[in-house]
Amino acid sequence: MRPSSSPSEWGEPSIAPPVDASDPFAVVFGDPRVDQACGTDGWLGAMLDAERALAEALAEAELVPVAAAKAIGEACRSGGVTSAVFAHASSASPVVPLVNTLAEAVPLEVRGWVHYGATSQDIMDTAMMLVAHRATAVIVDNLAHAAEAAASLTERHRDTLLIGRTLGQHAAPTTFGAVAAGWLSGIDAARDQLRSARFELAAQLGGPVGTLEPYGTQGLRVLADFAHRLGLADPGLPWHTERTRVTRLASALATGAGTLAKVAHDVSVLGSSDVGELREGSGGGSSAMPHKHNPADSVLVLANVRRTPGLAATMFAALESELQRPAGAWQSEWQTLSQLLRCCGGASSRASSLLSGLRVDTGRMRSHLDATGGLLRAGAVADQLAPALGRREAHELIADLAARAETATFDGQSSAADHKPPGWAQLGDQSERPDQPSAPHGPPGAGQATFREFLDADPTVTAHLTAAELDAACDPTACLPAARALVDRALARHRAQEEP
């Protein structure tokens, strides 16, 4: 009998969230709050907010009649201006059809005051800053939740030992608390950078060539009041062709996304079936293999982040803005920034879910560590021998013993004495050749040689280190004091950042 494919039986909600008709993948990849801020209605609302605030600031400076400003504000709020303004591309900007539609919505005697003294870029840049300000509020909030989840993991697993891995290989013992502290530190730094960039999001008002000439001596006053009414920063002077605040925002978004990708990549690797030390708490089904628990949140974080470097690069390319109004540079930012915000919104939302539900298999972490037979502490043993042998000689001796222990483990040797040193295959000896297939690689099992056995069997090692000293050098818990100090520092910094 063919199984039912109803959403509820396949583990998905029976009532799906609304889908953006212009982007069928928005629900999969994005955060609906960010998508709303960056969508058609979000941009239109931001443009109308800019026109309303401009009229009110001009009325406050007595450059526009109060009644006219009130009529313009009412027209901006009435809903009479629709997304149809985006369908007119002849002017290379939706501002011209927006202003024309707005003018038709006010009394005839008011029409001359609509968009008074402003240029199209003033409205589009200000709208872009409003869209970014609203979207980044959500992203910062997502990062805050992700950081809190990382802080909880850091504190809970302060002493949870696991294998540290470098270049994909076993390196030295560490703690999962230290790993999570690294995540926490990165997320906190990214959130702080994005908050700083958000604080710098400024209104734009300069008039035709950025001199504020239409407003005479009241120009700077109007600019400051305009920014204040919108909740944006006062830029000090118009920035039509000075785009550094835009690239600071793009950089902060791309940096934050990359930080989350590091977390997602770690989880996907440590959650692989062959490692199994971590597991996502939800989702991850397969259409073909019922047994699978795919790292869905990690996958979607990484998919979003893959797109951010190219989007950020486009924002940086717009820095090259000639004279007083560039051709194509600022226009290239609108859609690009929207996409960048959407990617970062989705990545931050998924990362928050990922960290909040992360499951940690502490037993498996410890069993993997113990299975290395003390090999991960080879560096500590070499350090203990260095005063007697010299650092280089000690390193070479321990490197040789470690290599022999690894080979013994790989070949399933039963003891250190059974192992033959490198170069053992002699010419004419066809029974044991390095190019022959050997036993599958795996942790040492019962009866297999361990690194500690090789240390105990080496006369140079035992001549300088007692059994107790070797025990101390090979003890993986020796990393705990240093790891705890790092964990405590990360948590202290996080808590300080959370203080009002």
Side-chain angles (χ1 to χ4, degrees), residues 99-118:
V99 170
N100 290 339
T101 305
L102 192 56
E104 292 172 0
V106 299
L108 183 62
E109 65 274 13
V110 173
R111 292 180 182 178
W113 300 115
V114 173
H115 194 66
Y116 179 71

Side-chain angles (χ1 to χ4, degrees), residues 187-261:
I187 295 170
D188 276 343
R191 182 165 56 122
D192 187 59
Q193 184 178 354
L194 184 56
R195 284 195 297 198
S196 295
R198 187 170 182 265
F199 182 76
E200 295 176 359
L201 298 178
Q204 172 78 282
L205 186 62
V209 293
T211 62
L212 291 166
E213 181 184 356
Y215 310 133
T217 59
Q218 298 278 35
L220 293 178
R221 173 187 172 183
V222 172
L223 174 57
D225 190 20
F226 176 60
H228 176 73
R229 291 173 185 275
L230 293 168
L232 297 173
D234 178 352
L237 68 160
W239 47 278
H240 293 142
T241 53
E242 196 283 284
R243 314 297 290 181
T244 53
R245 61 177 40 84
V246 180
T247 53
R248 283 196 293 274
L249 172 62
S251 177
L253 289 167
T255 298
T259 299
L260 299 176

Side-chain angles (χ1 to χ4, degrees), residues 381 385 397-398 401 455-456 458-466 470:
V381 177
L385 286 170
L397 171 62
I398 298 304
L401 292 175
L455 294 174
D456 289 336
D458 187 89
T460 304
V461 173
T462 55
H464 297 287
L465 296 178
T466 66
L470 281 173

Side-chain angles (χ1 to χ4, degrees), residues 133-181:
H133 195 266
R134 292 161 182 171
T136 52
V138 177
I139 298 172
V140 167
D141 186 58
N142 286 342
L143 291 175
H145 283 93
E148 274 303 306
S152 177
L153 289 168
T154 300
E155 196 158 25
R156 234 180 319 146
H157 296 283
R158 188 170 181 263
D159 293 342
T160 300
L161 291 168
L162 84 162
I163 296 171
R165 298 164 172 96
T166 62
L167 303 182
Q169 306 297 307
H170 290 179
T174 183
T175 67
F176 184 59
V179 171

Side-chain angles (χ1 to χ4, degrees), residues 233-494:
D234 178 352
L237 68 160
W239 47 278
H240 293 142
T241 53
E242 196 283 284
R243 314 297 290 181
T244 53
R245 61 177 40 84
V246 180
T247 53
R248 283 196 293 274
L249 172 62
S251 177
L253 289 167
T255 298
T259 299
L260 299 176
K262 188 270 186 293
V263 177
H265 204 157
D266 281 357
V267 171
S268 66
V269 172
L270 295 179
S272 66
S273 298
D274 296 326
V275 180
E277 295 176 352
L278 298 177
R279 185 172 181 175
E280 290 190 9
S282 61
S286 167
S287 64
M289 294 167 280
H291 67 283
K292 290 191 71 182
H293 187 96
N294 292 323
D297 280 333
S298 296
V299 165
L300 293 173
V301 170
L302 293 168
N304 271 309
V305 177
R306 289 281 194 281
R307 292 185 283 163
T308 61
L311 294 167
T314 299
M315 301 299 288
F316 274 85
L319 279 170
E320 186 181 355
S321 299
E322 72 278 4
L323 305 177
Q324 283 69 54
R325 186 82 75 254
W330 59 288
Q331 292 92 341
S332 71
E333 295 171 344
W334 313 332
Q335 190 176 43
T336 304
L337 182 60
S338 289
Q339 293 171 345
L340 182 56
L341 288 164
R342 285 185 174 214
C343 287
C344 293
S348 61
S349 177
R350 290 287 180 173
S352 176
S353 170
L354 164 65
L355 287 167
S356 297
L358 191 64
R359 295 161 65 182
V360 182
D361 191 334
T362 59
R364 191 150 182 169
M365 287 179 175
R366 184 59 196 245
S367 68
H368 285 163
L369 182 62
D370 291 342
T372 63
L375 191 62
L376 303 190
R377 295 290 296 170
V381 177
D383 288 341
Q384 290 281 50
L385 286 170
L389 303 182
R391 183 161 296 279
R392 179 177 178 182
E393 290 76 8
H395 181 88
E396 289 177 350
L397 171 62
I398 298 304
D400 177 63
L401 292 175
R404 290 162 66 184
E406 278 198 302
T407 303
T409 299
F410 191 88
D411 290 341
Q413 299 286 338
S414 60
S415 72
D418 291 338
H419 179 64
K420 298 178 181 180
W424 45 265
Q426 302 297 318
L427 191 62
D429 180 358
Q430 301 300 315
S431 63
E432 294 180 322
R433 298 185 58 142
D435 56 352
Q436 294 296 313
S438 59
H441 180 63
Q448 289 185 356
T450 67
F451 176 60
R452 177 58 191 273
E453 288 181 299
F454 277 85
L455 294 174
D456 289 336
D458 187 89
T460 304
V461 173
T462 55
H464 297 287
L465 296 178
T466 66
E469 288 172 329
L470 281 173
D471 286 340
C474 292
D475 183 3
T477 64
C479 73
L480 287 177
R484 286 168 179 160
L486 296 174
V487 163
D488 291 344
R489 172 171 287 189
L491 288 171
R493 288 181 173 178
H494 171 70

